[in-house]
């Protein structure tokens, strides 16, 4: 039987849509589920084109994932839980971070990295802002944090010398924000993380204190800010709201309220752009390197007397440190 004209038209439309990116497996419900990724060996070269050996774990198996990290060779005291951001380029998540982020963090800190993966980070392509997908992953992150709480309680003896860090990058902060929206004080223990680092946050700057002040599971929370961040600048323009990683004020309302439990670190004068928590984005600035080397190792940064601080601003019961 010969195809009808209408059948041919439908087929052409479908083919055109797939070719142009309007329909893709990432957007049809067949995408990967949220999960946890680890590298399977130590000493993986940073930024190589080849995808390193890795393993995915279901979120409920976080204890097994952590055991695999601790069993790897090499001497390191720090474990980083990394929540990735948007993936809009030639590489999608989890491959993007498995190649370009995890090996670099493990080498530079040094540390072992457990990545929380959320699906849909590439939705919309280069012009996308997959906020819905990030928020849908909030409960999954909460499940991972609860699992970490249980694991640390059951293995306190062998973890005494370990440092734990929570690092969110770009839209990864929206995943955390969504989880904290329903968070109750004390749901997680005060020392779950030695440091929490909100890097280049794509969350809205306005009202961010409402969720950030709930991070009672660490004594040291840091928010990085960069007025020259092109990605957060574009996101703010597209979403019509200034992003936290770019500015601590808005055009209409002026200064936004800060979270008193966090310290804010402004890198606008350093020449960095968006992903500057690893060396490849730090433009050789030693002050940027010093800060991230400390906080991503689980140590509070000692600002007092530090030569890399240009000025300090006190506001809303906390401080903004401007880096040279």
């Amino acid at each position: 039987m010969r195809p009808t004209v209408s059948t041919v038209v439908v087929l052409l439309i479908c083919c055109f849509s797939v070719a142009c990116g309007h329909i893709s497996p990432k957007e049809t419900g067949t995408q990967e589920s949220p999960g946890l990724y680890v590298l399977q060996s130590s000493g993986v070269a940073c930024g190589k084109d080849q995808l390193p050996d890795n393993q995915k774990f279901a979120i409920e198996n976080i204890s097994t994932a952590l055991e695999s990290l601790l069993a790897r060779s090499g001497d390191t005291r720090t474990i980083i839980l990394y929540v990735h951001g948007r993936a809009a380029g030639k590489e999608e998540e989890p491959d993007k971070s498995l190649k370009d982020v995890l090996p670099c963090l493990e080498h530079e800190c040094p540390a072992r990295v457990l990545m929380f993966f959320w699906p849909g980070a590439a939705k919309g392509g280069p012009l996308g802002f997959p906020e819905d997908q990030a928020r849908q992953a909030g409960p999954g992150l909460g499940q991972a944090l609860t699992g970490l709480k249980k694991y640390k309680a059951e293995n306190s003896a062998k973890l005494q010398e370990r440092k734990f860090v929570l690092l969110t990058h770009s839209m990864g902060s929206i995943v955390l924000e969504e989880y904290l929206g329903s968070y109750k004080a004390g749901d997680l223990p005060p020392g779950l993380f030695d440091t929490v680092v909100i890097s280049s946050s794509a969350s809205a700057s306005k009202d961010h204190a409402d969720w950030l002040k709930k991070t009672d599971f660490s004594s040291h929370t840091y928010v990085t800010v960069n007025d020259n961040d092109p990605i957060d600048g574009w996101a703010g323009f597209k979403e019509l709201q200034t992003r936290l990683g770019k500015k601590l004020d808005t055009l209409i309302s002026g200064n936004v309220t800060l979270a008193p439990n966090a310290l804010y670190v402004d890198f606008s004068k350093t020449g960095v752009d968006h992903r500057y928590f690893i060396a490849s984005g730090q433009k050789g600035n030693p002050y940027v390197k010093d800060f991230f080397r400390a906080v991503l190792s689980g140590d509070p940064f000692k600002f007092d007397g530090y030569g890399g601080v240009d000025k300090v601003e006190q506001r809303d019961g906390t401080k903004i440190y401007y880096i040279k």
Side-chain angles (χ1 to χ4, degrees):
M1 181 176 68
R2 297 180 63 186
T4 65
V5 172
S6 59
T7 301
V8 173
V9 170
V10 169
L11 288 172
L12 287 173
I13 291 174
C14 290
C15 292
F16 178 78
S17 297
V18 171
C20 294
H22 298 301
I23 299 176
S24 72
K26 294 290 182 182
E27 299 180 14
T28 58
T30 61
Q31 61 209 38
E32 273 197 90
S33 59
L36 304 166
Y37 277 88
V38 301
L39 300 180
Q40 289 188 299
S41 60
S42 303
V44 177
C46 176
K48 295 295 183 181
D49 289 336
Q50 184 175 356
L51 185 67
D53 292 337
N54 63 87
Q55 186 172 1
K56 183 183 180 183
F57 296 86
I59 296 173
E60 59 266 27
N61 294 330
I62 186 172
S63 60
T64 308
L66 288 165
E67 287 294 329
S68 73
L69 285 179
L70 295 174
R72 277 172 39 192
S73 62
D75 182 24
T76 179
R77 64 172 186 160
T78 306
I79 294 178
I80 298 174
L81 176 58
Y82 172 65
V83 186
H84 66 79
R86 185 176 70 107
K90 60 182 179 180
E91 202 83 71
E92 295 187 5
E93 296 291 1
D95 292 6
K96 178 181 178 182
S97 290
L98 288 170
K99 288 181 182 180
D100 298 338
V101 176
L102 271 65
C104 302
L105 282 174
E106 294 206 348
H107 172 71
E108 294 166 12
C109 290
R112 296 286 180 265
V113 183
L114 177 66
M115 181 173 76
F116 178 84
F117 164 76
W118 52 278
K123 184 176 176 63
L127 300 180
F129 190 78
E131 181 171 357
D132 289 346
Q133 286 66 33
R135 293 195 180 279
Q136 287 166 12
L141 179 60
Q143 183 184 2
L145 296 179
T146 301
L148 176 60
K149 166 188 170 181
K150 182 174 184 290
Y151 178 80
K152 290 187 71 175
E154 294 174 348
N155 297 276
S156 57
K158 72 177 180 180
L159 296 175
Q160 282 183 347
E161 303 301 319
R162 298 284 180 178
K163 299 275 191 176
F164 283 80
V165 176
L166 174 61
L167 168 64
T168 71
H169 175 59
S170 195
M171 292 193 75
S173 70
I174 297 178
V175 182
L176 177 62
E177 174 188 346
E178 183 66 19
Y179 163 64
L180 291 174
S182 59
Y183 180 85
K184 301 293 188 297
D187 281 353
L188 298 174
L192 185 65
F193 292 101
D194 294 275
T195 56
V196 171
V197 183
I198 312 297
S199 179
S200 304
S201 171
S203 295
S205 188
K206 185 180 179 182
D207 298 329
H208 77 271
D210 292 346
W211 59 268
L212 188 59
K213 67 185 180 183
K214 295 182 179 181
T215 55
D216 60 358
F217 40 85
S218 177
S219 298
H220 304 284
T221 297
Y222 301 92
V223 177
T224 73
V225 183
N226 175 22
D227 193 21
N228 300 308
D229 187 325
I231 305 300
D232 278 341
W234 167 86
F237 175 79
K238 183 178 186 297
E239 299 300 306
L240 301 179
Q241 274 194 309
T242 303
R243 301 293 110 182
L244 175 58
K246 183 172 175 63
K247 279 179 173 291
L248 299 177
D249 59 78
T250 65
L251 183 62
I252 297 175
S253 304
N255 288 347
V256 301
T257 302
L258 306 183
N261 61 313
L263 294 177
Y264 296 77
V265 190
D266 192 307
F267 292 95
S268 300
K269 289 188 175 182
T270 64
V272 297
D273 43 53
H274 186 59
R275 192 174 68 187
Y276 47 92
F277 61 86
I278 53 177
S280 59
Q282 293 171 359
K283 308 296 185 182
N285 187 304
Y287 306 132
V288 182
K289 176 182 177 181
D290 288 348
F291 171 77
F292 282 106
R293 178 64 63 90
V295 298
L296 294 182
S297 294
D299 297 323
F301 192 77
K302 299 177 180 179
F303 288 104
D304 292 344
Y306 181 63
V309 175
D310 183 50
K311 66 175 181 177
V312 183
E313 178 183 347
Q314 297 195 20
R315 199 167 109 195
D316 299 327
T318 188
K319 294 179 180 179
I320 307 170
Y321 293 91
Y322 294 83
I323 304 300
K324 294 180 180 177

